[in-house]
Amino acid sequence: MKIKSIEISNYRKIKKAKLNMEDNITVLAGANNSGKTSLVELFDSVFAKPKGKLCLNKTDFPVELCEEWGKRSFPIFRDAFSYPKKEDAQTHIREKIFGDTPVTISPIMLKIQIDYDKEADDIRNFADYIMELSPDNTSFYFMYKYELNNKLFFDNFDKYYEKMKPRFQKISDSGVTGNKAERVICEMLIDWYDDSCTEEAYFCDSLYDNSVHMDVSEFKALFNFGHITANRALDDERADKSRILSKNVVDIASQADDWKAMTQDLPDKIIQPIQDAGIQDKVRQISLDPLKGTMDAIAQTNGGAAGNIIIDMEITEDSIKSLLKGITSAKYQMGDYYLNESSQGLGYSNLIYIHLQLEKYKKTINRLVVNFFVIEEPEAHMHPQMQNAFAQYLFNYYKDKSEMQGMLTTHSHEVVRNAKIPQLRVLRQTATFTCELYDLRIFYETVQKSEPELLEFYNFFYTINFPDLIFADKIIMYEGDTERMLIKSILCSGEFKTLGDQYISFVQVGGAYAHRYFPIVNYLGIKTIILTDLDYKADDKTSKAVLSSTTTNSAIKFFYKKSHPQDSSAENPSIEEIYDWETVSALRVFGDKSNVYLGFQGKKDNLSRTLEEAMLSKFYGVSAIEAKPKDEWKSKKEKSGLDFSFPRSNDSPSIRDIVLSTSNRKTDFMYSVIMKKLQMEMLPDYIREALEWLAR
């Protein structure tokens, strides 16, 4: 049995999300604070065996929904508590909160589909929960809710009535509204709501319309859930006090089939030397005999019924296990040397700890239930090379254990690189209190149908660029190293510092390929700028020739056609047409969320066709094709301290001629710009406008 999908509603930052699960391992990737840990905690609350109290509480409802309920319900309770009689207050609340239009918080809800293999799976534990009678159906459907229980709400009425009545009275007497007292009351109302919520479970049909209530413990019994949290205790102390690995080694060994046979005689073998040594008598003599006189005196006050304290020693299976844990040490052998378990650092300890936890869980696998194990951030404490190797190991581990279904949560580029695109689910924070889930299997299969040739491109560049896309707050796509150098130095300046404080991914793409990333950044909704070069023919050296020329840049052609869908001539627009299009920046914004901006040299950039041309044109205030005497250029160069070259055979070169002559030393040129602190002064308009759009 495997979980096919989990649809989540109204849980913390996740308003609605459908998590489709892979048969072996699903990778949930996301930056910090994107909701990965929240999902692991939700699974632990819903699927783990009952821990004696509810795992969910008011903090698991979306913040906005709690705030909204507090504000909506406050006047209802204020009116209710104005009644002299408690019964009248209760009636008012019943009518207004639980009437025809209930004023409640939408429940936290999970819709769970579990698939099984008719030939391989034994469904005896699930047979009572079949609702779909079609012979072709191989799924079970369950629904879990954490919601308000009306009866429990009124069972708690007396408790909260006594607390809140005087507070409402105080507000009424003062006539002051909107003060701190109201906020305190709203928080108490939410506490009342939380105290009145219960877990409920149902089995359903495939549409989740028809449902039958089931006991929550019976629902949880259908799952064998285990997980390793990101906040795991690992021993890095020199004294090696906790010996986490050593204890786990004993735990695993104690689950072996022959463990009891091996240890059943140990209690007698251990207790006999203790008795022979007289240790029991010594313990009693030193610790208890001095107390005997006092005990006798106390006994006189209750008829001599205190009795005598004796020492008895019992050795149980648990005490044997504790003893073995205490005396067992995991060590690293390096040649003739033996090092304790903390000697190799937390990375190695983490790796071994996760392996041991998996091995312990493997012993508990039950083929009659869903076996689901989650590892949160396996990359903790590991450097990238170790992350890469360990990620490969984990993927193979889950693949080999076909009866076990797993999930890794990660913010590691290396873990993502070892996954396949369809295995990835991406969590992104899209607003202060909102996260959205993006299923890259859905994306992959959509592209497979519509643009199969694009998948070859994605598969080839996957390990190079995809992790940078997934974790980014925003993306800057650029053509070459000089663009990256310029922009990174600019993001350190005051004007764009807010942009520099965000997680910006720099993705190097040529003008021939930039548009191929549009489908993925559009799907993920990541705000992205694509900076590319106009790239018309370098031989066009008059304004007229430039305007009638065309670009060789595939990205510009792609987006121009995209913004002119009805124009049959949009396949190969002239530079003049591109300039007219470029002047309206809104026409160069694309994507379902208007999240992709195309920037290139435009009218303001003085007929430039590359970054370097645009920078020099901006700095010297001349067109990229305007010729000037070489001596004049040399004087300008010496004055500015910039590093660029001149063509030997041209006594009156243009900026274009200079850039072409410097083509093999572009990095040196950009270093000189940065070292002379001229990057803001030379920043081309097309890049400034793009960064301003990205910063908004």
Side-chain angles (χ1 to χ4, degrees), residues 278-306:
I279 291 176
Q280 286 173 273
D281 294 335
K282 190 68 173 177
V283 170
R284 186 193 65 248
Q285 177 186 345
I286 294 175
S287 62
L288 296 180
D289 283 358
L291 194 62
K292 188 176 184 306
T294 304
M295 292 293 294
D296 290 342
I298 294 173
Q300 299 304 316
T301 66
N302 65 349

Side-chain angles (χ1 to χ4, degrees), residues 375 565 571:
I375 304 175
E571 296 280 352

Side-chain angles (χ1 to χ4, degrees), residues 10 64 70 146 187 198 257-258 277 302 311 398 449 527 546 551 573 599 659:
N10 298 314
E64 307 101 302
Y146 181 74
E187 290 176 358
T198 56
D257 294 336
D258 57 351
N302 65 349
I311 295 294
Y398 277 97
K449 292 176 183 176
K527 197 167 186 181
V546 169
T551 179
V659 170

Side-chain angles (χ1 to χ4, degrees), residues 275-493:
Q275 292 172 341
D276 292 344
I279 291 176
Q280 286 173 273
D281 294 335
K282 190 68 173 177
V283 170
R284 186 193 65 248
Q285 177 186 345
I286 294 175
S287 62
L288 296 180
D289 283 358
L291 194 62
K292 188 176 184 306
T294 304
M295 292 293 294
D296 290 342
I298 294 173
Q300 299 304 316
T301 66
N302 65 349
N308 294 320
I309 300 177
I310 65 170
I311 295 294
D312 197 6
M313 292 187 176
E314 294 182 10
I315 300 182
T316 64
E317 182 180 340
D318 287 341
S319 61
I320 290 292
K321 190 173 174 181
S322 296
L323 172 63
L324 289 174
K325 283 184 178 182
I327 64 175
T328 301
S329 293
K331 293 183 179 292
Y332 295 96
Q333 181 180 358
M334 301 181 68
D336 295 331
Y337 299 95
Y338 295 86
L339 308 176
N340 65 36
E341 68 181 63
S342 66
S343 64
Q344 295 300 305
L346 290 178
Y348 281 98
S349 295
N350 180 43
L351 182 152
I352 297 169
Y353 175 80
I354 292 175
H355 167 74
L356 294 176
Q357 294 300 309
L358 283 168
E359 288 296 301
K360 284 171 67 175
Y361 178 79
K362 187 176 72 173
K363 304 282 187 184
T364 71
I365 286 176
N366 180 356
R367 295 180 180 274
L368 300 178
V369 300
V370 175
N371 298 285
F372 181 32
F373 194 88
V374 178
I375 304 175
E376 191 177 1
E377 297 178 8
E379 66 271 12
H381 307 295
M382 298 183 191
H383 61 75
Q385 185 179 357
M386 184 184 286
Q387 290 177 25
N388 188 301
F390 190 49
Q392 293 180 41
Y393 163 79
L394 287 176
F395 282 107
N396 289 330
Y397 190 98
Y398 277 97
K399 185 177 179 181
D400 293 341
K401 309 294 182 293
S402 60
E403 68 279 13
M404 178 177 165
Q405 190 174 22
M407 174 181 285
L408 302 180
T409 76
T410 185
H411 48 45
S412 162
H413 288 59
E414 298 305 319
V415 173
V416 169
R417 284 190 177 99
N418 278 280
K420 293 181 171 58
I421 295 176
Q423 289 178 299
L424 286 172
R425 311 291 180 264
V426 179
L427 263 175
R428 293 182 52 78
Q429 182 165 320
T430 55
T432 305
F433 299 115
T434 303
C435 291
E436 293 187 22
L437 182 70
Y438 299 88
D439 187 331
L440 290 196
R441 175 169 286 282
I442 293 176
F443 170 77
Y444 190 89
E445 291 175 352
T446 301
V447 173
Q448 197 170 38
K449 292 176 183 176
S450 59
E451 300 178 80
E453 70 284 353
L454 192 58
L455 287 186
E456 184 178 353
F457 174 81
Y458 283 159
N459 288 330
F460 185 79
F461 285 98
Y462 174 77
T463 58
I464 300 173
N465 285 333
F466 260 61
D468 296 320
L469 301 178
I470 284 170
F471 297 115
D473 293 327
K474 295 176 180 178
I475 298 171
I476 296 176
M477 294 189 179
Y478 62 95
E479 286 214 4
D481 290 335
T482 51
E483 280 93 344
R484 178 178 54 81
M485 291 171 64
L486 173 65
I487 295 169
K488 284 202 170 186
S489 67
I490 285 171
L491 295 187
C492 298
S493 70

Side-chain angles (χ1 to χ4, degrees), residues 174-205:
S174 67
V176 178
T177 59
N179 58 14
K180 182 179 178 181
E182 284 193 13
R183 182 174 61 81
V184 171
I185 290 175
C186 282
E187 290 176 358
M188 292 178 67
L189 288 172
I190 293 171
D191 286 338
W192 185 356
Y193 196 104
D194 183 43
D195 281 350
S196 307
C197 286
T198 56
E199 292 179 293
E200 305 294 340
Y202 309 84
F203 63 95
C204 318
D205 64 0

